[in-house]
Amino acid sequence: MAEAERIIGTPDTPDAAGGGKERPDAEGTPAGEPGTDPAAAAGTSGTGEPEATAGRPRGRRRIAVLFAVAAFAYALDLISKLIVVAKLEHHPPIEIIGDWLKFEAIRNAGAAFGFGEAFTVIFTMIAAAVIVVIARLARKLYSLPWAIALGLLLGGALGNLTDRIFRAPGVFEGAVVDFIAPKHFAVFNLADSAIVCGGVLIVLLSFRGLDPDGTVHKD
């Protein structure tokens, strides 16, 4: 009988198959199954970061984009105003597309597009507040589209704020240089254009549910 069992083999039992299967851990789950990985159970990646943020781009790259766009918009606005003041102010308007589009130097004491000339100081304070808010928001900026939008807002706000501070009639009361004059529309400048483009982009991103930190939400 013992010889027959040796030839045929013994049935598979937990004890007999112990060499081919892993023993369960203290909670009854096989130690080799992926569900018992401590990092997975804690909801973290192998690097110790949460899985939701492990693949998220670094914020520093998005901040660099924000300031690069802002610097470009600001420089473009500043250079254009210097040229307009030097070459176009106190001169006849330059027709670009007949009567439909002209370059005409105008000093604007109001907000964008010439509105609210009686509230120059208030608009200056609002522009400064916008810059501070954008700078604080930049620390949590992971979204590239949001970086571009906020960069346009920041560059435009800085461009007009520079005029408010350094141009006549005085500090925080300076008149902004406007020169783009479409027919049947207010005269504006490149800083105004950057602010409007940034604002429109922010509205579109908000409708799509994209937040500045790169997450997407659905209402």
Side-chain angles (χ1 to χ4, degrees):
M1 187 66 178
E3 184 66 18
E5 290 181 355
R6 184 184 65 80
I7 296 174
I8 297 175
T10 57
D12 290 337
T13 61
D15 293 337
K21 296 184 180 180
E22 297 186 17
R23 297 176 59 86
D25 57 12
E27 297 182 357
T29 306
E33 290 186 9
T36 59
D37 183 10
T44 59
S45 62
T47 60
E49 299 179 354
E51 290 181 353
T53 60
R56 177 179 293 173
R58 293 181 180 179
R60 182 173 299 176
R61 279 184 286 178
R62 301 312 182 220
I63 294 175
V65 171
L66 184 152
F67 287 112
V69 173
F72 178 77
Y74 177 74
L76 202 60
D77 177 70
L78 182 62
I79 293 172
S80 67
K81 289 175 179 176
L82 291 175
I83 295 174
V84 167
V85 171
K87 302 294 184 180
L88 190 57
E89 199 168 33
H90 308 302
H91 290 79
I94 298 176
E95 294 185 353
I96 305 301
I97 308 177
D99 292 336
W100 291 98
L101 180 62
K102 297 179 182 181
F103 284 170
E104 180 180 5
I106 294 178
R107 295 297 181 108
N108 169 26
F113 306 108
F115 299 118
E117 295 186 3
F119 303 97
T120 304
V121 176
I122 295 177
F123 292 136
T124 302
M125 296 175 62
I126 292 174
V130 168
I131 294 172
V132 172
V133 171
I134 293 175
R136 291 177 61 87
L137 185 60
R139 296 179 301 175
K140 300 179 181 180
L141 190 62
Y142 289 88
S143 169
L144 179 59
W146 269 95
I148 295 174
L150 293 177
L152 290 172
L153 280 179
L154 180 60
L158 285 172
N160 284 338
L161 185 61
T162 300
D163 285 356
R164 304 288 189 196
I165 296 175
F166 295 105
R167 297 194 186 276
V171 178
F172 300 123
E173 296 181 354
V176 175
V177 176
D178 291 336
F179 62 93
I180 304 174
K183 188 176 182 179
H184 304 308
F185 196 74
V187 184
F188 59 96
N189 55 39
L190 295 182
D192 297 333
S193 301
I195 292 172
V196 171
C197 291
V200 170
L201 183 54
I202 287 176
V203 172
L204 294 176
L205 294 174
S206 299
F207 272 118
R208 294 188 59 186
L210 180 62
D211 292 332
D213 62 357
T215 59
V216 178
H217 67 272
K218 295 182 180 180
D219 294 333

